[in-house]
Amino acid sequence: MNSRTRVLLQSVAAVFAGGSVGSLIRISLSKLQAPDASWPWMTLLINLTGSFILGCLLEYLATTGEDVGARRIWRLGLGTGTIGGYTTYSTFILETDTRITGHAVALALVYLAISVVVGLVCAGLGISAGEWLGHRRVTAAAGNTDDTGLAAPTNSAGSADFGAQPIVEANATARTDSQKGDQS
């Protein structure tokens, strides 16, 4: 088997496995809502959380490395598979249509608008969270953070300078040096 075929089979397997897990989670959660509920709150909750998680995952992966090898398999398995199986566009459309044909047009339009608008907001918040997490990981991997996850002081070469003088002392030295330059 050549490498392209192996990668294709791994990708298909990742999406299949992830989709199975995501679908099982969605089906389990959907049982929490009564079938005759006037407001499809569980589908809304599933789709909004899925939008957030997908935005976060994709931005995190984009921020922390290239979409190749194992990272690509994880993206396909978690993003396309798990989150794709977890979220449900078809149920969203069916529930909207059911309300329209049941003469609850206003409810259907509100549900439609909230799903789309708040879904976009959730995706945007997920993207922001993924970017923050990704930059935090990149900074930590470069060794430029302390135990709090905040950027550590660096030397002139941009490397972490943990063995250097304390920040307060370094700031005082910097002020003294700049004051000397002002006096000349």
Side-chain angles (χ1 to χ4, degrees):
M1 176 181 334
N2 67 29
S3 64
R4 285 186 85 158
T5 304
R6 188 175 66 249
V7 169
L8 177 62
L9 290 176
Q10 288 173 337
S11 298
V12 169
V15 172
F16 178 79
S20 298
V21 170
S23 295
L24 287 172
I25 294 169
R26 176 177 41 85
I27 290 167
S28 298
L29 289 174
S30 68
K31 300 293 182 195
L32 298 174
Q33 179 174 305
D36 59 344
S38 62
W39 182 262
W41 60 271
M42 187 50 71
T43 302
L44 181 65
L45 178 66
I46 287 169
N47 286 337
L48 296 181
T49 57
S51 294
F52 176 85
I53 294 166
L54 185 61
C56 185
L57 172 70
L58 294 181
E59 187 63 26
Y60 175 81
L61 291 173
T63 303
T64 57
E66 293 184 45
D67 189 31
V68 294
R71 293 174 62 82
R72 181 173 170 79
I73 300 299
W74 278 103
R75 178 187 56 81
L76 289 170
L78 291 174
T80 305
T82 305
I83 299 169
Y86 171 69
T87 58
T88 174
Y89 183 75
S90 57
T91 302
F92 158 65
I93 292 301
L94 177 64
E95 289 172 342
T96 302
D97 181 64
T98 301
R99 276 138 190 90
I100 290 171
T101 58
H103 305 292
V105 175
L107 183 67
L109 293 176
V110 169
Y111 175 57
L112 182 74
I114 288 174
S115 294
V116 171
V117 173
V118 179
L120 288 171
V121 169
C122 288
L125 291 172
I127 289 168
S128 294
E131 181 180 28
W132 180 78
L133 290 169
H135 285 299
R136 211 178 138 148
R137 178 166 187 259
V138 168
T139 304
N144 293 341
T145 60
D146 57 17
D147 292 336
T148 65
L150 300 173
T154 58
N155 60 26
S156 59
S159 301
D161 200 3
F162 292 106
Q165 49 188 245
I167 294 174
V168 174
E169 186 180 323
N171 288 339
T173 304
R175 278 193 303 276
T176 304
D177 290 344
S178 70
Q179 290 168 349
K180 287 178 188 173
D182 291 341
Q183 295 171 353
S184 350

